[in-house]
Amino acid sequence: MRAEVDHGVAELVAEPDRPTAWTLLVNGTAQSHVDLADPTHLEFEYVRRLGHVLDTAAPATRPLRVLHLGGGAWTLARYVAATRPGSWQRVVELDGALVDLIAGRLPADGLDIDVRVGDARYELQQLPAGSVDVLVVDVFAGARIPAHLTSVEFVGAAARVLDAGGVHTANLADGAPLSFARAQVATAAAVFPHQAMLASPEVLRGRRFGNLVLVAGRAPLPVPELTRAAAADPFPARVESGTPLRRFAAGARIVTDRSAGPSPIPPPGFFGQPEQ
């Protein structure tokens, strides 16, 4: 089905071999995949990697306080509700009509997911200090990450709401020469002493455009656990941290509100976009 939303056209596409599964596209860009019967099923590669971050953020089944910036179809919020019952979760989505569409067509009743309509950075700044265990940033305007969510001031706001052992994670998209991703690592390093990056080897080597999941925190990150989980995926990923990640970001400038720009335009066909 297709529907007009605040920022274009949304489409929910049924999956032929999974009768309870749907893919959400907005303006032709694949935003989310949800299986209503099995919220633990994470279809997209980068979402699986974000799932690994959530899985390793605390001992199994322990409830978490999770803020999701970027709503889509609330895939990861549903995942956390299924794997960590009793978690406090808030999803922030700018498009109110999209929120209404998802609530009506892909309901998440009884999962205790608080969905707010608003700007991601503004809503982040309204939360009390130390009130979040995991911050998941997965915001795209069309197929690009908005500039105001890429700066050191934004990362500083993220650090403020996280508790001492909290984890900041962001879905990035970039291709050779990976200038955007390198700058995002350098920017996170200006705020958080510990960082890691999950991505496929082809993307890390700049051989193709793709997703990179950035993880950062004040406390040491569970890199061995993330490495094992990412390596066991159907499409394995590498985890870079420590000296290799510092080399990856060497020479990159820290992004500020004054210098920030959106992520690169993806090539035709990426994110489910039609060929031009």
Side-chain angles (χ1 to χ4, degrees), residues 36 73-74 78 102-103 106-113 115:
L36 295 177
W74 320 335
R78 298 170 197 263
I102 297 304
L106 305 176
D109 299 337
L111 299 184
D112 293 326
I113 300 171
V115 182

Side-chain angles (χ1 to χ4, degrees), residues 155 162 166-170 188-189 192-196 214-219 221:
V155 178
L162 289 171
V167 176
H168 169 70
T169 186
F192 293 107
H194 303 279
Q195 309 88 41
L214 174 63
V215 190
R218 296 187 188 90
L221 300 170

Side-chain angles (χ1 to χ4, degrees), residues 228-244:
R228 287 193 292 270
D233 269 347
F235 296 94
R238 278 174 48 191
V239 179
E240 298 283 15
S241 64
T243 299

